[in-house]
């Protein structure tokens, strides 16, 4: 492979000038720049990124830690993060942690060593905040990309969306349609990762003085199969529900299928609403009403924040908030039968 | 951060011994190994992977070039590839090429420079074999992970599955059920990437002397929406079809939805079969009958082959074949009505 020296000789400049052109640094005239780029092309020169990383004390990659790439939220988030990273000239190292025997701790430590100059954590999952802090302490910036609780500082720089509002909007939509007997499938324990979404659900009901029976909720359902199983159970034990609030789209799609299996017509017999707005929600039959969270914005703001931290920008904030979630009305929700026929 | 020298001093060994322990090289006694590992833990030492890459003339990552991570085949393939890479102690750099202005050429060149010690290409897409060869020529091994034509040598080491057989098996299944008027939705042009699958379809029909009318096929449908639109068109213009062969699962799921939109009951009025066996096919309603291609095996064999090439193994083959595709019978296929009621 050609060396930078050969390129410099061909262009009649110093290696430093070649380097400046390739990194878009320093003052280089247009004619010189063009001569250098022609020489780079002629020699087929490719800068050695590892050497550059050593010299600049940073690697050209950002790492994204996520639970499992096959949960459809993550590919969508990964794509947005990837594109944001590319706009900053970085490559994205995608790290699946779910299948690591230690829950991703070892992965995180190794990636943060010198393979990447910053770590985005899309799913804290089994990674503890203390672990993230210990990575930070070694000088590698860490950003939590998807933080559900804008009122709580996790102690790590983060991008937060208002999960409580997402739950509230979804529930308000069902109440506006006239539902008053609404079940809930919650992806986590009551105070877990979907706790904000569930609290939004409870608060929306309370604001309209609609009762929420404990027997109408199921927790820990955050997968397609989890939603399917929990909806079967809920609808079998409480067939008079006219709507189900689901704290995430994937279990909502499972619930949609479970309802059909039991002979419920959605939305005529039963309304179902999710949260997130993954691509699949527009492809299910019926298409799923959901509350969109700003995935692309979260990805962009996470990368922006991480790069600020990596360049020791003193103005890097501790938390960046996204725009509010918005209702995406599709075909899985309608007025309950009793009301529709009144 | 601690240096290797400090670790060596604490353990009472030379830095080379520390290095040997961490890389599992050289002869080091059990007691010494333990002392070194304790010192590594005590000092919180993390080897500088970039420096190591320079010294060893290889980076600790493999790159996976793919079309678009949000096409659900790719996250599944990425996960399998990721896990295979991790078993070899490598990290996987996932590179989305669809959104690169140059179709991924620049991305490929930069990644192959020194950021990764090998490149897996899951989707040659707009990347030309010549480009892959020019990367190879610089000493970075390249493997095509998903090659559809075991009888054709692409000129780049590859992992091949028998796409013709996949198309043949899917079609044989429809013929076995008694269908004789079968439409086809093909993800590519006739001789494009899904050409083998389509040829399998045509050959299966020919073997049973079943006619295939040109008007019963649509080409270039390889997306959910593409399958939806083409199925609407096909079923509107040719309503007497009793089955549709679809060369890929994602457009088959679109076709399933299109059929429902037109009032066809699947499988009573219309059978639909796909190819690949992505996770979504077991979650659609009805669940999709499909022909499974060996995704996990392709991922594993690709990584194995790439690592062989990276270590200059003289026995690295030019092509690795996977096991044959297999029919996964689900709920979207049944005997045609006319036959069922006979």
């Amino acid at each position: 492979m050609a060396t930078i020296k050969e390129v410099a000789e061909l262009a009649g400049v110093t290696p430093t000038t070649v380097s400046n052109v390739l990194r878009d640094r320093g003052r280089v005239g247009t004619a010189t720049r063009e001569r250098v780029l022609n020489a780079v092309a002629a020699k087929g020169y490719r800068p050695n990124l590892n050497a550059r990383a050593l010299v600049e004390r940073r690697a050209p990659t950002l790492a994204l830690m996520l639970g499992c790439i096959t949960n459809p939220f993550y590919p969508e988030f990964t794509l947005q993060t990837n594109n944001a990273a590319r706009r900053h000239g970085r490559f994205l190292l995608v790290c699946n942690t779910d299948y690591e025997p230690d829950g991703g701790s070892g992965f995180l430590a190794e990636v943060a060593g010198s393979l990447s100059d910053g770590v985005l954590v899309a799913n804290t999952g089994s990674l503890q905040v203390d672990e993230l802090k210990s990575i930070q302490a070694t000088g590698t910036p860490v950003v939590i990309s998807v933080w559900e609780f804008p009122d709580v500082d996790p102690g790590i720089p983060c991008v937060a969306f208002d999960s409580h509002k997402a739950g509230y909007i979804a529930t308000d939509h069902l109440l506006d349609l006239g539902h008053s007997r609404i079940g809930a499938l919650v992806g986590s324990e009551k105070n877990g990762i979907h706790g904000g979404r569930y609290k939004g659900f409870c608060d929306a009901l309370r604001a309209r003085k609609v009762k929420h029976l404990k027997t109408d909720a199921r927790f820990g359902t955050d997968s397609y199969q989890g939603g399917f199983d929990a909806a079967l159970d809920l609808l079998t034990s409480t067939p008079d529900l006219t709507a189900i609030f689901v704290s995430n789209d994937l279990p909502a799609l499972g619930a949609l299928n479970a309802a059909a299996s039991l002979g419920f017509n959605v939305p005529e017999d039963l309304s179902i609403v999710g949260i997130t707005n993954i691509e699949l929600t527009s492809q299910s039959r019926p298409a799923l009403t959901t509350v969109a969270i700003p995935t692309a914005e979260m990805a962009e703001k996470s990368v922006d924040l991480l790069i600020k931290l990596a360049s020791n920008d003193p103005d890097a904030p501790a938390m960046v908030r996204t725009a509010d979630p918005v209702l995406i009305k599709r075909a899985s929700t309608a007025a309950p039968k009793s009301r529709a026929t009144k």
Side-chain angles (χ1 to χ4, degrees), chain A:
Chain A
M1 210 194 318
T3 64
I4 195 165
K5 222 176 130 199
E6 289 164 20
V7 173
E9 271 164 19
L10 183 62
V13 299
T14 64
T16 306
T17 304
V18 175
S19 178
N20 283 342
V21 168
L22 291 176
R23 294 179 208 190
D24 217 7
R25 286 184 186 179
R27 267 181 279 173
V28 184
T30 318
T32 308
R33 173 178 303 276
E34 202 160 299
R35 221 161 59 234
V36 168
L37 291 176
N38 286 338
V40 165
K43 288 279 178 190
Y45 173 69
R46 289 203 300 269
N48 184 313
L49 297 177
N50 282 309
R52 182 192 290 185
L54 277 179
V55 171
E56 298 188 355
R57 295 177 174 276
R58 64 165 188 77
T61 64
L62 306 179
L64 174 64
M65 313 290 296
L66 45 80
C68 181
I69 189 77
T70 57
N71 172 333
F73 171 72
Y74 291 118
E76 296 181 22
F77 189 72
T78 297
L79 180 63
Q80 300 293 348
T81 307
N82 177 74
N83 293 352
R86 297 292 294 135
R87 283 195 292 275
H88 286 277
R90 314 294 170 100
F91 295 101
L92 190 71
L93 200 65
V94 179
C95 311
N96 279 265
T97 59
D98 265 13
Y99 297 87
E100 295 289 319
D102 60 0
S105 304
F107 208 150
L108 177 67
E110 221 173 325
V111 162
S114 60
L115 201 57
S116 77
D117 60 345
V119 177
L120 297 165
V121 181
N123 181 337
T124 47
S126 56
L127 296 170
Q128 303 300 316
V129 167
D130 282 353
E131 290 183 78
L132 300 180
K133 282 187 179 166
S134 82
I135 295 298
Q136 252 187 341
T138 67
T140 301
V142 178
V143 165
I144 298 177
S145 295
V146 184
W147 183 247
E148 304 240 342
F149 310 97
D151 299 334
V152 179
D153 180 355
I156 301 282
C158 67
V159 176
F161 77 96
D162 193 341
S163 66
H164 181 274
K165 193 164 272 178
Y168 203 102
I169 290 171
T171 311
D172 245 2
H173 169 61
L174 296 175
L175 293 167
D176 287 346
L177 289 169
H179 294 277
S180 57
R181 192 68 203 283
I182 307 174
L185 303 183
V186 185
S188 65
E189 288 311 298
K190 200 169 162 180
N191 297 311
I193 182 76
H194 286 178
R197 306 178 188 199
Y198 179 60
K199 193 162 181 301
F201 166 77
C202 294
D203 288 348
L205 292 182
R206 196 170 302 124
R208 305 258 197 126
K209 299 190 169 41
V210 173
K211 243 191 186 159
H212 172 45
L213 302 175
K214 281 194 178 153
T215 49
D216 293 352
R218 297 290 182 279
F219 297 90
T221 64
D222 199 26
S223 66
Y224 179 89
Q225 195 61 45
F228 184 92
D229 294 342
L232 273 190
D233 173 43
L234 187 63
L235 290 170
T236 308
S237 59
T238 324
D240 57 335
L241 294 176
T242 63
I244 303 182
F245 160 87
V246 193
S247 71
N248 211 2
D249 284 343
L250 204 55
L253 292 170
L256 211 57
N257 204 339
S261 305
L262 291 173
F264 285 87
N265 285 317
V266 175
E268 294 80 2
D269 303 332
L270 183 77
S271 286
I272 296 179
V273 63
I275 291 177
T276 307
N277 196 31
I278 59 174
E279 217 177 304
L280 288 176
T281 54
S282 62
Q283 300 172 354
S284 63
R285 193 167 178 88
L288 188 75
T289 297
T290 187
V291 176
I293 65 174
T295 308
E297 188 191 352
M298 280 194 298
E300 275 161 31
K301 290 194 163 165
S302 301
V303 171
D304 287 349
L305 179 55
L306 189 63
I307 290 195
K308 269 190 186 155
L309 292 164
S311 55
N312 297 309
D313 184 334
D315 296 331
M319 182 184 289
V320 177
R321 282 158 216 260
T322 67
D324 276 345
V326 288
L327 181 73
I328 309 288
K329 173 81 183 82
R330 295 204 185 93
S332 69
T333 51
K337 251 185 192 163
S338 56
R339 184 185 166 109
T341 54
K342 254 175 201 170

